[in-house]
Amino acid sequence: MSAYPNAAETAVTDTAAAPALCAPLPVLGRDVTVPLVTGGEVTYAALDYAASAPALQRVWDDVAAYAPYYGSVHRGAGYLSQLSTDLFENSRTQVHEFLGCREGDQVVFTRSTTDSLGLLAAALPAGCQVFVFETEHHASLLPWRGSRVTYLNAPRTPGDAIRTLERALADRDPHGPALVCVTGASNVTGELWPVRELAAAAHAHGARIVLDAAQLAPHHPVSVEELDVDWVAFSGHKLYAPFGSGVLAGRADWLREAEPYLAGGGASRTVARRSDGGVDVEWHTSAARHEAGSPNVIGVYAIASACKALTEAGFDSLVAREQHLIAKVREGLAEVPEVRVLSLFGDDAPRVGVLSFVVDGWNSSHFAAALSAEYGIGVRDGLFCAHPLVRTLLGSDPQDVGECGAPEAEPGERSLNAIRVSFGAGTPDEHLERFVRAVKELVRDGAQWKYRTEDGRCVPDRG
Ligand SMILES: Cc1ncc(COP(=O)(O)O)c(C=O)c1O
């Protein structure tokens, strides 16, 4: 499967002819039950994978098997320190392979995608111009504000995105470095961006490109080399490894020349007092330069374990199953005229298992609260840390604030926030069947319970 599929590759149209789908991968929490406000308990349907996905059972088992052998890494002389150092550095190699990195690319372990992009922003060469679409998640929209940044208007087709970028780059000061930052899959619509084409446009104009793969990597193979991106960033907790680590991988030069992200032990090779009383430091030129302090060995190992588990499960079958789930949800929602699914690129756009929608006549927070309290379904409501994009899709005023406690929208009135359902490798069909049934029942019959706003959240009113 290519790293950026076209619609024909991902669409599941002829289910009769489709091969048997794989089972969901076992994840932690799959048997957890939660109480319903209307009485009784149900198995929790975690449909907020885009925010944070449950740990793969395999990741948890690997971490548990390693935990007794945990030891300080890099400079420890003991057996467990050496074992842990090997495990940590082997994890780096595995992530390098998982991402299809080029020889010489560095894999830097960070805390998250936000941290990875913050690190790259801090490593920009002097005078670097940055180009970013306004549709980005705040993690990729905001770190560049200290630089010469150009925000590009929301495109309405992938081709429009490429043309918009080409125009902006053609107008740029051709001297000096430039960086394009783009998401692989939207955390709002799930739609895939034409990463390879945007990378080609960037390079044709002498710019570099960083791929925010926070939503892409958990759903789709990512190959740095094949996509020809310069860097890629993702988070462990969205890749079924919620232990506090993330990744920035790619070209070594800007990273090697930059000041260390954090100054401290691990990043420095030698430190010596100067005769004038100051301190001289020789920093590492490897990934360690930006990994000062004691690293999160468990978090890093968990990421490597998840990479291995996804690779072994096979992205072909994971993607096929996810596309089957996406088709089912979209078909179900299409039967409810009050539901409007948000989309930038249109119905045929290839996408991952992330869908946002609004329901005519409903405040999104109220709807999400009812899904949770009455059906045991965990979705998300709001603007999903992509305020400009969601407001564009909702057609709302940039000054409007979609607060959780906003009154219910009148039928036909614009919602100020949206509901997002997201899923992945661990999601059983039943969770999405329940979700579609719940949407239909809530729209048809209304909520069974009364809700009120508490601390800015919509919650069941328990009298
Ligand atoms: C597309 C995208 N980029 C970046 C991030 C930030 O990820 P993290 O919160 O793990 O830093 C998210 C989180 O939702 C995201 O969806």
Side-chain angles (χ1 to χ4, degrees):
M1 167 160 312
S2 74
Y4 179 71
N6 57 37
E9 267 179 291
T10 56
V12 175
T13 44
D14 184 0
T15 40
L21 296 170
C22 65
L25 299 186
V27 289
L28 291 194
R30 59 192 181 278
D31 298 323
V32 166
T33 57
V34 291
L36 299 180
V37 71
T38 44
E41 295 209 332
V42 285
T43 313
Y44 184 63
L47 294 178
D48 197 11
Y49 274 48
S52 227
L56 283 176
Q57 182 70 49
R58 161 82 180 276
V59 169
W60 181 253
D61 291 347
D62 280 353
V63 164
Y66 161 64
Y69 301 93
Y70 174 78
S72 60
V73 296
H74 288 148
R75 287 159 302 280
Y79 187 88
L80 294 194
S81 292
Q82 288 172 26
L83 185 146
S84 294
T85 302
D86 284 350
L87 182 114
F88 185 74
E89 291 305 329
N90 287 342
S91 299
R92 202 188 298 281
T93 308
Q94 280 174 23
V95 172
H96 192 282
E97 268 171 35
F98 178 75
L99 292 173
C101 288
R102 297 157 292 240
E103 212 183 318
D105 279 346
Q106 284 186 349
V107 172
V108 183
F109 289 115
T110 63
R111 289 177 300 170
S112 60
T113 309
T114 306
D115 201 29
S116 298
L117 295 171
L119 158 58
L120 188 62
L124 296 181
C128 188
Q129 299 171 73
V130 180
F131 297 84
V132 56
F133 286 94
E134 65 177 14
T135 45
E136 292 291 320
H137 185 280
H138 296 170
S140 31
L141 189 72
L142 302 179
W144 326 106
R145 287 171 76 240
S147 316
R148 296 165 64 192
V149 54
T150 303
Y151 295 105
L152 306 172
N153 290 340
R156 297 313 295 232
T157 63
D160 191 15
I162 298 160
R163 285 187 294 278
T164 302
L165 179 66
E166 275 173 343
R167 268 196 305 274
L169 290 172
D171 285 350
R172 89 175 178 99
D173 166 5
H175 306 292
L179 178 75
V180 176
C181 176
V182 71
T183 191
S186 165
N187 72 307
V188 176
T189 65
E191 290 164 335
L192 299 184
W193 279 63
V195 176
R196 194 183 290 120
E197 292 80 353
L198 293 170
H203 292 149
H205 289 87
R208 291 195 172 183
I209 185 164
V210 55
L211 171 63
D212 172 351
Q215 299 296 345
L216 187 63
H219 300 273
H220 214 276
V222 172
S223 167
V224 167
E225 189 158 28
E226 203 185 304
L227 290 170
D228 197 18
V229 292
D230 297 282
W231 293 276
V232 60
F234 74 86
S235 303
H237 71 103
K238 295 184 199 292
L239 193 94
Y240 312 103
F243 294 88
S245 281
V247 168
L248 176 70
R251 306 243 180 241
D253 50 359
W254 287 9
L255 299 176
R256 204 170 41 217
E257 283 148 29
E259 278 294 300
Y261 190 40
L262 287 174
S268 48
R269 197 195 299 272
T270 59
V271 179
R273 287 299 300 275
R274 279 197 310 259
S275 51
D276 67 1
V279 170
D280 273 334
V281 188
E282 189 195 340
W283 301 107
H284 282 293
T285 52
S286 62
R289 183 182 191 85
H290 298 294
E291 292 176 349
S294 301
N296 177 356
V297 184
I298 297 264
V300 161
Y301 180 52
I303 288 184
S305 163
C307 294
K308 198 157 173 246
L310 293 174
T311 306
E312 284 175 11
F315 268 109
D316 280 350
S317 50
L318 293 175
V319 170
R321 177 153 204 289
E322 187 172 310
Q323 292 303 316
H324 154 80
L325 295 178
I326 294 170
K328 274 175 81 162
V329 177
R330 282 166 57 85
E331 274 164 29
L333 293 182
E335 289 165 13
V336 188
E338 290 83 354
V339 168
R340 177 164 72 92
V341 175
L342 304 183
S343 164
L344 201 54
F345 295 158
D347 280 353
D348 294 336
R351 63 192 76 227
V352 299
V354 178
L355 266 109
S356 297
F357 62 99
V358 287
V359 186
D360 205 12
W362 280 80
N363 170 273
S364 294
S365 304
H366 184 185
F367 202 87
L371 284 173
S372 168
E374 299 178 29
Y375 295 91
I377 297 170
V379 296
R380 178 161 292 244
D381 59 278
L383 301 174
F384 318 125
C385 293
H387 293 186
L389 170 59
V390 180
R391 291 202 180 107
T392 298
L393 295 172
L394 294 177
S396 53
D397 193 282
Q399 306 313 320
D400 288 342
V401 179
E403 282 183 6
C404 303
E408 279 177 30
E410 291 298 319
E413 199 182 331
R414 280 181 176 149
S415 293
L416 296 180
N417 55 10
I419 306 152
R420 182 178 75 188
V421 57
S422 56
F423 43 93
T427 308
D429 287 41
E430 188 278 323
H431 288 184
L432 290 164
E433 286 157 8
R434 194 190 326 167
F435 166 75
V436 169
R437 177 172 55 84
V439 170
K440 289 181 176 170
E441 286 179 5
L442 285 172
V443 170
R444 191 188 61 216
D445 307 331
Q448 303 293 300
W449 206 261
K450 276 198 167 328
Y451 293 81
R452 66 189 168 82
T453 302
E454 193 178 282
D455 297 332
R457 280 224 62 79
C458 197
V459 292
D461 187 348
R462 291 167 201 272

